[in-house]
């Protein structure tokens, strides 16, 4: 990779296309992950991922599984583009002075994870409210004792309504609630994922310089993604809880990362930090498997090849 001239526009296109395809495929599982992570003791509606998806379809219809998908599909293009392109950019420049060591690979992943939170934080903030709205509504119907007296049921807000409300009440900081937890999740994820993927992918290369077959890139992306996802799942639980604005009356609220950790340990035990880990692994594995196939097939480079080239 060090001796190749990277094309940033092509990398951005690759990351964007990969994100769109991946999110469309795995979004229902991501919705189940959010709802499982948010439910607390005494207000449990779902026993597992399959139970959550079945109950969601029954109460909200098939498209209920895609609550918040529009936000994700709109923002996942720049988010994935930044993440994948930034990692390539840092790897390229860190390898100029010599061999790309494991430490340098981890530094490149750290840089990529730090860059992506610019888009990830507001995207996750809005997505979580939309995904969890159905859980709150179902909780009010099935557990009326958890609803405060005099509560009026309101229609689920749209992404634009949420954005306007957050900007009006809290300014741009409202969209970046949970930024610290997002950094604590995405930076370690990228530090684990990118070096692991690169080394797994290298094992399947054809010769020293030849590219790995697409199925090797897919499997490497799946394995590296699921490993990194499970490793950072405790922080993902904290991030989800901090970014959720609406809760049942019996559910805890949190003032920050430390307060969230303390209350989860006290009220739900250490196992609560593994909530949604299975779902998260199922989301991230194909998401990054697909991403790496699109990326390494050079879809962006192929698209740009049709554009007229400037004469030097």
């Amino acid at each position: 990779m060090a001796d190749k001239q990277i094309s940033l526009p092509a990398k951005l296109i690759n990351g964007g296309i990969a994100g769109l395809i991946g999110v469309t495929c795995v979004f229902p599982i991501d919705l189940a992950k959010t709802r499982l992570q948010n439910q607390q003791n005494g207000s449990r509606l779902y026993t597992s991922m399959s139970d959550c998806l079945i109950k969601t379809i029954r109460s909200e219809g098939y498209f209920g599984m895609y609550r918040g998908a529009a936000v994700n599909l709109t923002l996942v293009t720049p988010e994935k583009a930044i993440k994948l392109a930034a990692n390539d950019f840092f790897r390229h420049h860190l390898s100029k002075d010599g061999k790309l060591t494991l430490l340098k690979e981890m530094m490149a992943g750290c840089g990529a994870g730090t860059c992506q939170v610019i888009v990830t934080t507001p995207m996750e903030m809005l997505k979580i409210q939309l995904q969890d709205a159905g859980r709150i509504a179902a909780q009010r119907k099935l557990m009326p004792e958890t609803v405060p007296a005099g509560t009026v049921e309101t229609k689920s807000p749209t992404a634009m309504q949420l954005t306007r409300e957050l900007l009006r009440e809290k300014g741009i900081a409202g969209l970046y609630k949970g930024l610290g937890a997002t950094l604590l999740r995405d930076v370690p994820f990228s530090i684990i994922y990118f070096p692991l993927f690169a080394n797994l992918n290298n094992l399947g290369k054809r010769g020293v310089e030849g590219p790995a077959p697409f199925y090797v890139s897919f499997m490497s992306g799946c394995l590296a993604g699921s490993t990194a996802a499970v490793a950072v799942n405790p922080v993902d639980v904290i991030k989800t809880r901090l970014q959720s604005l609406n809760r049942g009356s019996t559910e805890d609220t949190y003032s920050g990362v430390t307060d969230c950790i303390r209350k989860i340990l006290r009220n739900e035990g250490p196992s609560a930090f593994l909530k949604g880990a299975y779902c998260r692994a199922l989301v991230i594995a194909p998401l990054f498997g697909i991403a790496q196939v699109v990326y390494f097939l050079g879809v962006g480079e192929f698209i740009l090849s049709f554009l007229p080239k400037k004469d030097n």
Side-chain angles (χ1 to χ4, degrees), residues 22 28 39 43 50 65 113 115-116 124 143 199 204 218 222 231 278 311:
Q39 63 179 8
S43 60
S50 57
M65 294 192 300
C115 290
Q116 81 172 87
E124 295 265 315
M143 301 177 179
N199 285 281
F218 177 78
C222 287
Y278 176 63
D311 294 328

Side-chain angles (χ1 to χ4, degrees), residues 163-176:
T163 303
R164 284 197 295 268
E165 185 179 333
L166 285 167
L167 288 174
R168 184 176 66 250
E169 292 181 3
K170 301 179 181 179
I172 194 69
L175 290 173
Y176 279 87

Side-chain angles (χ1 to χ4, degrees), residues 39-296:
Q39 63 179 8
Q40 300 178 23
N41 292 342
S43 60
R44 292 176 181 273
L45 293 175
Y46 316 112
T47 58
S48 64
M49 178 188 72
S50 57
D51 182 53
C52 179
L53 293 176
I54 290 168
K55 286 179 178 175
T56 297
I57 293 171
R58 283 177 182 167
S59 62
E60 303 168 58
Y62 175 79
F63 289 106
M65 294 192 300
Y66 280 87
R67 278 179 179 264
V71 171
N72 230 34
L73 288 170
T74 301
L75 295 180
V76 77
T77 301
E79 189 256 352
K80 282 288 174 288
I82 290 170
K83 186 187 190 86
L84 295 169
N87 179 67
D88 250 14
F89 176 82
F90 288 124
R91 286 174 69 91
H92 178 75
H93 285 280
L94 285 169
S95 63
K96 280 184 174 180
D97 299 326
K99 188 183 177 203
L100 192 63
T101 61
L102 178 60
L103 178 60
K104 288 182 178 180
E105 287 183 320
M106 293 172 71
M107 288 171 61
C110 178
T114 304
C115 290
Q116 81 172 87
V117 297
I118 299 168
V119 176
T120 302
T121 306
M123 176 182 77
E124 295 265 315
M125 181 70 185
L126 295 172
K127 182 194 73 172
I128 285 170
Q129 314 317 314
L130 296 168
Q131 285 183 330
D132 207 38
R135 183 186 71 89
I136 298 296
Q139 186 183 9
R140 286 173 175 170
K141 288 178 183 176
L142 297 175
M143 301 177 179
E145 70 277 4
T146 65
V147 182
T151 299
V152 179
E153 189 169 338
T154 56
K155 191 177 179 182
S156 297
T158 64
M160 286 306 297
Q161 288 171 337
L162 278 169
T163 303
R164 284 197 295 268
E165 185 179 333
L166 285 167
L167 288 174
R168 184 176 66 250
E169 292 181 3
K170 301 179 181 179
I172 194 69
L175 290 173
Y176 279 87
K177 183 180 180 182
L179 174 63
T182 306
L183 274 168
L184 286 174
R185 182 197 68 172
D186 289 348
V187 171
F189 178 93
S190 294
I191 289 173
I192 296 168
Y193 171 77
F194 285 112
L196 183 56
F197 167 78
N199 285 281
L200 288 172
N201 197 57
N202 283 338
L203 294 176
K205 279 189 173 181
R206 297 190 182 104
V208 179
E209 296 296 329
F214 79 92
Y215 58 85
V216 172
S217 293
F218 177 78
M219 291 303 297
S220 299
C222 287
L223 184 57
S226 57
T227 301
V230 173
V232 302
N233 192 76
V235 187
D236 191 54
V237 172
I238 295 166
K239 183 196 72 65
T240 300
R241 296 283 183 93
L242 288 175
Q243 289 187 320
S244 296
L245 299 176
N246 297 315
R247 303 184 186 280
S249 60
T250 61
E251 295 180 337
D252 288 325
T253 56
Y254 312 102
S255 60
V257 173
T258 305
D259 181 54
C260 185
I261 294 171
R262 188 177 68 251
K263 286 180 177 176
I264 290 175
L265 285 172
R266 185 183 65 209
N267 299 328
E268 303 171 65
S271 62
F273 290 107
L274 294 177
K275 283 183 177 180
Y278 176 63
C279 294
R280 182 161 164 76
L282 287 179
V283 168
I284 297 297
L287 186 61
F288 278 87
I290 292 167
Q292 294 297 353
V293 169
V294 172
Y295 212 61
F296 278 82

